[in-house]
Amino acid sequence: MAEKPVILTGDRPTGKLHIGHYVGSLKNRVEMQNTGQYTPFIMIADQQALTDNARDPEKIRKSLIEVALDYLAVGLDPAKSTIFVQSQIPALSELNLYYLNLVTVSRLERNPTVKAEIQQKNFERSIPAGFFTYPVSQAADITAFKASLVPVGDDQEPMLEQTREIVRSFNSIYGDVLVEPKGVFPPKGSGRIPGLDGNAKMSKSLGNAIYLSDDADTLRKKVMSMYTDPNHIHVEDPGQIEGNMVFTYLDIFDDDKEKVAELKAQYQHGGLGDVKIKRYLNEVLENVLGPIRQRREEFAKDIPAVYDMLKKGSEHANEVANQTLEEVRHAIGVDYFG
């Protein structure tokens, strides 16, 4: 019987996860996990988070458990997926070291994702070396588990291409050991949710996100503060739906597409107020997020059990990564003592 394809995916623990993470990757992970057709490894990338948060390790420590709770709350199941912590897998650091020799500085500088993030974080030339080389670290994470599928957002395609280049270089020099991964991307148009303020990206740093852990009151307040059409002053005024965050979110979260189409037509014609559509969106989001919030509260009652789950997952991940590392050492020829 053929082995199931391996999936590797994960998140940096720099805060709680928001609905952008849910739509962009978490929902897809749960669906893939539940088909039973894959072997999923889900990593909390604490070492990668330290590349630009080295002076604030407490932030990473606190966020680790928050991300684990979010994972469990959305339906990631440790009985079906190996959920593990990056720093607990020493093999990843050694693989990273070998791969760094196969990548040039100029190639890393050309990586569009790295370029964009360097700009976003205003590093200029003061780039932490660990941050600059994190695409190589990602290649180590993916190849350690021989993952053939990596569910990611569209913006991560350049990172995957870098991994494929490393795999090809390694295999051509040392023999076929590593597996070339493919990306699994969210459906067109749902990969990235704009922020509540209409900003192109929902993010922790911009303070424009709805978190999976937000209580019902916080969710309602955030929805009521959402950016709509600034020219839609009176209920009877015709309103614009393009760039109106309420309708953007309804398109993503409301399964009743007919109802959304009716609301759009009514809003464009005039006669539908912002408060009314925001209340409707709040109901739609509460239906999605309410059960997640409830499960999260249950798991949060026993934090030691969550740590135990991460420990067991990391132990299993360690075994798998060590096997790959043995093969890599043997291929390079550095297994001098058997």
Side-chain angles (χ1 to χ4, degrees):
M1 195 172 123
E3 282 187 20
K4 295 174 184 177
V6 175
I7 294 172
L8 186 281
T9 184
D11 298 277
R12 288 160 44 102
T14 54
K16 297 174 178 182
L17 300 180
H18 53 62
I19 59 171
H21 296 116
Y22 179 68
V23 169
S25 60
L26 295 174
K27 195 177 172 196
N28 193 20
R29 286 179 210 174
V30 173
E31 284 166 6
M32 291 179 86
Q33 163 198 274
N34 290 344
T35 63
Q37 293 171 13
Y38 306 97
T39 301
F41 285 86
I42 298 165
M43 178 178 79
I44 303 184
D46 59 333
Q47 282 180 326
Q48 198 185 110
L50 282 165
T51 60
D52 55 333
N53 289 282
R55 287 170 173 75
D56 189 7
E58 193 52 33
K59 175 183 174 183
I60 311 302
R61 280 188 65 82
K62 282 180 183 165
S63 299
L64 180 86
I65 203 70
E66 298 292 354
V67 171
L69 286 170
D70 286 332
Y71 279 176
L72 294 168
V74 298
L76 288 171
D77 182 350
K80 298 175 184 174
S81 294
T82 301
I83 303 172
F84 69 99
V85 182
Q86 186 182 30
S87 62
Q88 306 308 298
I89 318 299
L92 300 180
S93 299
E94 190 172 335
L95 288 171
N96 182 30
L97 201 61
Y98 296 137
Y99 298 169
L100 279 167
N101 300 322
L102 304 175
V103 179
T104 64
V105 169
S106 65
R107 175 63 184 92
L108 284 167
E109 281 177 332
R110 286 198 314 275
N111 187 310
T113 310
V114 175
K115 270 162 84 171
E117 292 195 14
I118 286 170
Q119 208 172 2
Q120 190 191 327
K121 294 175 195 296
N122 295 320
F123 281 144
E124 293 179 3
R125 295 305 294 167
S126 306
I127 311 159
F131 183 85
F132 184 62
T133 60
Y134 87 79
V136 185
S137 167
Q138 278 196 342
D141 302 332
I142 294 165
T143 57
F145 302 97
K146 302 207 170 166
S148 56
L149 298 171
V150 184
V152 284
D154 298 333
D155 60 330
Q156 292 297 304
E157 175 56 32
M159 307 302 257
L160 279 177
E161 187 49 41
Q162 188 111 58
T163 297
R164 287 191 285 266
E165 285 174 21
I166 289 168
V167 168
R168 287 173 206 142
S169 293
F170 186 97
N171 288 348
S172 72
I173 299 165
Y174 304 115
D176 284 342
V177 174
L178 305 177
V179 173
E180 224 175 286
K182 284 182 187 157
V184 179
F185 302 100
K188 266 267 177 278
S190 67
R192 176 168 283 190
I193 301 184
L196 299 169
D197 53 1
N199 190 292
K201 189 180 181 187
M202 177 176 283
S203 79
K204 292 171 266 209
S205 56
L206 294 172
N208 62 358
I210 291 172
Y211 293 94
L212 297 174
S213 53
D214 281 346
D215 60 41
D217 194 43
T218 303
L219 173 63
R220 186 184 54 77
K221 283 176 183 161
K222 285 183 178 180
V223 171
M224 297 315 282
S225 74
M226 279 173 91
Y227 181 82
T228 55
D229 173 5
N231 299 315
H232 186 242
I233 297 156
H234 305 108
V235 171
E236 62 274 12
D237 293 342
Q240 223 184 348
I241 57 169
E242 292 79 19
N244 184 324
M245 290 304 101
V246 176
F247 287 106
T248 302
Y249 282 44
L250 283 173
D251 280 336
I252 295 167
F253 289 98
D254 194 354
D255 292 333
D256 190 345
K257 302 303 173 197
E258 217 172 290
K259 173 87 184 265
V260 174
E262 279 171 26
L263 289 171
K264 282 181 180 177
Q266 201 182 342
Y267 191 81
Q268 285 173 309
H269 182 265
L272 179 59
D274 286 343
V275 170
K276 195 171 179 183
I277 52 160
K278 284 178 176 180
R279 282 187 185 142
Y280 177 66
L281 172 62
N282 186 61
E283 279 174 41
V284 168
L285 288 175
E286 184 57 36
N287 286 338
V288 175
L289 299 176
I292 292 172
R293 186 193 305 127
Q294 243 174 335
R295 286 195 296 269
R296 198 182 193 283
E297 285 164 5
E298 282 306 306
F299 286 116
K301 287 176 184 172
D302 193 353
I303 296 298
V306 179
Y307 274 115
D308 190 50
M309 177 274 291
L310 290 174
K311 184 170 181 279
K312 284 180 178 150
S314 298
E315 284 166 358
H316 174 60
N318 231 337
E319 287 170 20
V320 177
N322 282 340
Q323 176 60 43
T324 302
L325 179 59
E326 266 183 48
E327 292 172 33
V328 164
R329 281 176 172 171
H330 180 68
I332 297 171
V334 293
D335 55 344
Y336 304 112
F337 313 115

